[in-house]
Amino acid sequence: MVKSHQEEYEEMVEIEDFRRHQPTGSDDSHPRLLSTNIDSNRSSQVHPDDFMAPQWPPSIVGSGSSPSLTLRSGATTPYDQLSSTKHLIYTDSRSSTPMNGRSPSKELSSSDSEVHEKVTILRKRDDADIWKGWRRHLYRLTPFLTFANTAVYMVYLGLRIACVILAQKATDTTFAAAWVFIAVELAVAIPSLMHNGWTMWSLKSRHRPKMRLVGNDVPTVDVFVTCCGEDDEVVMDTVRGALDQDYPGDKFRVIVLDDAKSPGLQRDCALLSHTYPNLYYMARTKIPGQPHHFKAGNLNYGLEQSHHLPGGAGEFMAALDADMIPERDWLRALLPHAVQDPKMALVCPPQLFYNTPPSDPLAQSLDFFVHVIEPIKDAMGVAWCTGSGYVARREALEEIGNFPLGSLAEDVATSTLMLGKGWKTAYVHEPLQFGTVPEDYGSHLKQRTRWAIGTVDTSFKLNFCLWGEKVRQMTFAQRFSGFLYASLSLYTILLSISLFAIPVILIMGKPLVAYANDTQLRWLIRACFANTIVNRLCEFVLFIPAGYHTGQRGSRYQLWMSPYIALCIIRSFVLPKWLGGQTQAFKPTGSLSSALNERDPKLKKNMFRRLWAILFNYMAAFHFAFVYLTLVAATLVSYRCFFQESHRVRDILICLVTHAFWPPLTFIFICSSMWTPIGYAIDPPQMPDREELLVRDPQTKVAHPTPQSKKVAFGGQAAWFEFEYTFSTLYTCLIFVASFLF
């Protein structure tokens, strides 16, 4: 008697179920074991595509008579009889996976109009609800103001250089301090100039509408939640949010990829799977001494194991970090961009946070990057994978060999390789996920230095996206972007070295600005005034999408974070191991037994403990030494101007301006930026318990951030820095006026 496909499938499921319950040793004995919801052996030949299943997954609703897989947790995964329907709308986007048994096809099985009927456009712009009105109209001036800012700065710099040369000819003296000061100013300005070169490309309009996928005939998605030692409650909030999607339950499943094998997390997933049968828990075996490739290895493990789940792999995969809670319309908001374009490989939203402290002293919010830089990159067709919340096409992942291994920045590497193969990436500027920033100083350093090392490492492997087979199909804009952001990380080495030139040249007592006569001095002051004002105006307009204060925090962050990034890059790519070389993110020196808990009003360590840890364990003594030496040098110079120069007021003022107080008081801005770690240790921001930042459904336990927690509060530190910027601008205006009076 010939068995039907369904009978064969049920029989083989029973065989597999029997194998699972045989005494085969501990879970750790097999590298392919799925720890809770399903155990699959790579040698098994049970593939749903053998039975030509045209849709996935089998209904998870089930009925009382439906057979089921018995799980170790005690939960069951019901499945209905496989449908024999052949009509598929999304076959253009499917890869060759066990879920469909088909080869990739670029032709739609239905007309384009049928596909588009599944998508509705809510707004013409995806960020229409984030910022609008006069801000959007003013922001259109960004490329013109950026160009003007760059042009005025180059004129000012050229005038400075010309005056030094003329002064040297007139006095037959070499003004070494003036040359060093020009070099330092240029070193500090180069990151901004490089960004300016990129932001001028915002002249190209960005057209990405706000769309939603409608109906139940939608693509199948495997949602991976990657975790490795995070608090179980934090992970479970993400899992519940992922399960609570406004998306057909039989079209997506949530797979927890636990690299720490937490018994509590495994138990919680098992309990929740009773309510959500589309929840799975997996934990790979990591053999000591063998590389496990961090997050990339974990994701690849999930991609591989999803082929063995009922129905095979999904058409798309999505990934969430352990702490990133998605909004309910997350999948419906991202997938339309991929559904409408068969060459769209990756769609990603911004990473936003709900526990950012007031004033965001460490610039953890990433708002400038996600609200300003990424939209510009998206307009140029070079959107980066943001690391969490993204949706990727399986076919594109398979073409690049899944997530690249051996990198600390698998997200950047993945999107870059996709672009190199001719695929497209998209950035959807909507608030679709909210996570947590590191809650202590050390974790913040480790996170950011890991990103920098990963970006540079990826760039080295891809020849800075300038040439090679892996980037062959990249456009000029895509290559320039890859080169720019890797260069900015490497540039921190030069910037860190140049910073200490400031106190040195001040202590030397030589003029920072050289000129041959008073007329040259007046024009230098006026050019400096023009450069300062245009720069302030450009910053105000450029920072509009993220917020003015957010942009200013980002500028200070580039300075005080540079020594940490530079040190880690030197250790990772320059020094041999016997000289301290190591390929890893920042690691504190000495013994730091526990976190400082600096943001917890009840558990935080005392100020002496915080200062000691940040100054010595976290090496902020470099920052302290810089600030101390610079202020001492400025005091000595001022003393000389008052007591060793002429007693005429005019001469004293000129001495002060040309030696230490050249507008716009660059040394004060640099000192205040470098003081950030010490100021943070003395007076860290206070944050409430995480639960107070969430609104939790008492029945389902699904939690989402409160509206207030999604915003960065304006605090005292932000007010102080604004006072500093205002003071330096007014000081520049005052010196400008004085150039006409004296």
Side-chain angles (χ1 to χ4, degrees):
M1 178 178 178
V2 179
K3 297 181 181 179
S4 67
H5 287 162
Q6 177 64 16
E7 289 173 339
E8 290 179 344
Y9 180 67
E10 290 178 1
E11 180 177 322
M12 297 184 79
V13 165
E14 290 175 358
I15 293 173
E16 277 300 291
D17 190 53
F18 172 78
R19 288 176 179 172
R20 290 190 191 98
H21 289 80
Q22 297 310 303
T24 57
S26 66
D27 289 352
D28 293 340
S29 64
H30 199 291
R32 302 300 179 188
L33 196 63
L34 311 185
S35 298
T36 298
N37 284 42
I38 183 168
D39 294 341
S40 62
N41 193 310
R42 186 171 177 81
S43 63
S44 172
Q45 298 301 312
V46 182
H47 295 299
D49 60 328
D50 293 339
F51 312 107
M52 298 300 293
Q55 68 178 27
W56 171 88
S59 172
I60 62 170
V61 178
S63 63
S65 60
S66 295
S68 62
L69 296 177
T70 302
L71 310 178
R72 290 192 178 187
S73 63
T76 59
T77 303
Y79 60 91
D80 293 334
Q81 185 173 356
L82 300 177
S83 170
S84 60
T85 304
K86 299 292 182 183
H87 179 69
L88 296 173
I89 289 182
Y90 300 104
T91 53
D92 64 306
S93 65
R94 290 189 173 191
S95 58
S96 179
T97 64
M99 54 163 280
N100 53 54
R102 297 173 183 267
S103 299
S105 173
K106 296 299 180 185
E107 296 182 358
L108 295 172
S109 61
S110 60
S111 67
D112 287 346
S113 61
E114 286 180 303
V115 175
H116 292 172
E117 286 177 359
K118 304 301 178 182
V119 174
T120 181
I121 298 178
L122 303 182
R123 304 291 292 270
K124 291 182 179 180
R125 294 184 61 98
D126 54 3
D127 55 2
D129 298 325
I130 300 177
W131 59 292
K132 50 190 174 182
W134 65 269
R135 293 180 177 84
R136 190 174 294 280
H137 295 297
L138 188 59
Y139 187 71
R140 292 174 182 172
L141 299 175
T142 296
F144 307 103
L145 287 172
T146 303
F147 178 80
N149 183 32
T150 305
V152 171
Y153 178 78
M154 298 308 294
V155 170
Y156 167 64
L157 182 64
L159 184 60
R160 285 276 300 279
I161 294 173
C163 286
V164 174
I165 294 174
L166 292 173
Q168 290 183 158
K169 288 182 178 180
T171 61
D172 196 24
T173 304
T174 300
F175 291 90
W179 286 117
V180 174
F181 187 53
I182 289 175
V184 171
E185 279 193 330
L186 185 60
V188 174
I190 280 179
S192 296
L193 291 174
M194 295 178 74
H195 268 298
N196 286 353
W198 180 250
T199 55
M200 278 190 287
W201 289 37
S202 64
L203 183 63
K204 180 177 179 180
S205 299
R206 177 175 176 269
H207 302 288
R208 193 165 298 286
K210 181 177 182 178
M211 299 189 292
R212 291 293 183 270
L213 203 61
V214 297
N216 293 327
D217 193 1
V218 293
T220 54
V221 187
D222 287 319
V223 178
F224 297 119
V225 178
T226 56
C227 53
C228 185
E230 294 84 358
D231 290 342
D232 291 348
E233 270 307 309
V234 172
V235 180
M236 290 307 298
D237 280 342
T238 299
V239 172
R240 295 188 193 99
L243 290 166
D244 190 45
Q245 287 297 296
D246 177 20
Y247 205 79
D250 61 342
K251 293 293 186 177
F252 83 106
R253 56 192 170 204
V254 177
I255 304 172
V256 179
L257 300 176
D258 183 12
D259 248 3
K261 291 189 176 180
S262 166
L265 182 60
Q266 181 178 354
R267 180 179 60 254
D268 291 342
C269 289
L271 292 174
L272 192 59
S273 66
H274 286 281
T275 305
Y276 298 96
N278 58 334
L279 171 62
Y280 295 82
Y281 174 96
M282 299 181 183
R284 59 177 174 157
T285 297
K286 295 189 289 186
I287 302 175
Q290 294 187 8
H292 56 275
H293 300 296
F294 308 104
K295 185 178 175 181
N298 199 12
L299 285 168
N300 284 343
Y301 174 77
L303 288 171
E304 177 184 302
Q305 294 300 324
S306 62
H307 287 273
H308 301 286
L309 294 176
E315 299 172 57
F316 293 88
M317 66 80 62
L320 288 166
D321 281 351
D323 60 337
M324 277 287 174
I325 302 175
E327 299 290 274
R328 292 200 74 239
D329 54 349
W330 166 53
L331 290 177
R332 288 196 180 274
L334 296 183
L335 282 167
H337 302 273
V339 166
Q340 288 193 325
D341 187 349
K343 290 298 291 180
M344 186 65 69
L346 186 78
V347 184
C348 45
Q351 280 201 43
L352 302 174
F353 306 96
Y354 63 88
N355 72 328
T356 309
S359 293
D360 190 16
L362 302 182
Q364 296 177 280
S365 66
L366 297 178
D367 279 359
F368 180 73
F369 182 79
V370 302
H371 294 310
V372 178
I373 299 300
E374 273 287 10
I376 295 175
K377 287 160 64 70
D378 184 42
M380 303 310 301
V382 61
W384 267 0
C385 177
T386 51
S388 175
Y390 58 88
V391 172
R393 193 182 297 272
R394 285 268 187 164
E395 181 183 348
L397 281 171
E398 290 171 0
E399 186 170 347
I400 65 171
N402 290 335
F403 291 93
L405 304 178
S407 174
L408 292 176
E410 82 293 330
D411 46 5
V412 175
T414 298
S415 50
T416 304
L417 289 173
M418 287 177 170
L419 294 172
K421 289 291 186 180
W423 291 93
K424 298 179 184 178
T425 58
Y427 177 75
V428 177
H429 197 185
E430 290 188 56
L432 296 172
Q433 60 173 346
F434 291 87
T436 57
V437 299
E439 296 183 342
D440 63 274
Y441 187 75
S443 297
H444 172 70
L445 294 184
K446 183 177 180 179
Q447 179 194 67
R448 296 305 174 89
T449 52
R450 184 180 71 245
W451 292 352
I453 293 172
T455 301
V456 173
D457 181 59
T458 299
S459 297
F460 278 135
K461 292 176 179 177
L462 298 178
N463 302 317
F464 286 82
C465 298
L466 298 178
W467 74 89
E469 182 63 31
K470 294 181 179 180
V471 298
R472 184 175 298 278
Q473 299 187 54
M474 275 190 173
T475 64
F476 173 79
Q478 292 167 350
R479 293 171 190 263
F480 177 69
S481 175
F483 173 79
L484 171 65
Y485 287 96
S487 300
L488 286 174
S489 295
L490 289 173
Y491 179 74
T492 57
I493 300 174
L494 177 61
L495 179 59
S496 300
I497 295 173
S498 66
L499 285 176
F500 262 96
I502 295 178
V504 172
I505 60 178
L506 286 176
I507 290 175
M508 290 168 59
K510 302 296 182 180
L512 304 181
V513 180
Y515 55 94
N517 52 58
D518 289 348
T519 300
Q520 291 182 13
L521 177 60
R522 291 190 184 97
W523 282 108
L524 281 172
I525 291 174
R526 293 163 190 173
C528 180
F529 166 79
N531 177 64
T532 302
I533 297 303
V534 174
N535 183 61
R536 290 286 187 267
L537 183 60
C538 182
E539 286 179 342
F540 178 78
V541 175
L542 176 62
F543 297 161
I544 279 177
Y548 173 72
H549 297 288
T550 297
Q552 297 292 5
R553 283 194 297 270
S555 299
R556 293 192 296 271
Y557 166 84
Q558 289 180 355
L559 287 172
W560 72 262
M561 193 68 190
S562 290
Y564 291 111
I565 295 177
L567 177 64
C568 288
I569 289 176
I570 291 173
R571 284 180 173 175
S572 299
F573 303 105
V574 179
L575 293 180
K577 290 185 177 180
W578 60 273
L579 276 179
Q582 51 188 359
T583 306
Q584 63 177 22
F586 179 84
K587 183 178 181 180
T589 59
S591 175
L592 194 61
S593 59
S594 62
L596 298 175
N597 295 315
E598 60 264 27
R599 299 182 189 178
D600 191 320
K602 298 180 180 178
L603 301 178
K604 67 178 181 180
K605 299 293 191 295
N606 60 60
M607 187 174 70
F608 176 79
R609 170 64 170 153
R610 298 195 304 267
L611 273 172
W612 181 271
I614 289 179
L615 284 175
F616 298 103
N617 294 98
Y618 295 124
M619 297 162 53
F622 175 93
H623 300 72
F624 182 85
F626 171 84
V627 174
Y628 177 79
L629 290 176
T630 303
L631 294 180
V632 168
T635 302
L636 290 175
V637 168
S638 301
Y639 175 82
R640 293 188 187 118
C641 290
F642 276 104
F643 297 102
Q644 296 181 6
E645 295 291 331
S646 171
H647 293 293
R648 294 172 55 194
V649 174
R650 180 181 182 278
D651 293 338
I652 293 175
L653 291 178
I654 291 178
C655 178
L656 290 172
V657 169
T658 58
H659 283 73
F661 297 94
W662 183 255
L665 302 175
T666 304
F667 84 92
I668 292 182
F669 170 75
I670 297 176
C671 283
S672 65
S673 301
M674 297 294 284
W675 188 255
T676 297
I678 297 94
Y680 178 88
I682 295 173
D683 185 25
Q686 303 300 289
M687 289 296 293
D689 185 75
R690 190 180 71 91
E691 192 65 26
E692 298 179 32
L693 304 174
L694 301 171
V695 177
R696 190 177 299 278
D697 187 296
Q699 300 297 324
T700 64
K701 304 301 181 182
V702 174
H704 289 281
T706 64
Q708 296 80 11
S709 66
K710 295 178 180 179
K711 302 175 182 178
V712 180
F714 183 86
Q717 189 187 69
W720 165 254
F721 281 122
E722 182 54 39
F723 169 78
E724 175 191 314
Y725 281 114
T726 304
F727 174 78
S728 64
T729 304
L730 292 176
Y731 172 80
T732 304
C733 295
L734 179 63
I735 299 300
F736 171 71
V737 173
S739 71
F740 293 94
L741 301 178
F742 293 95

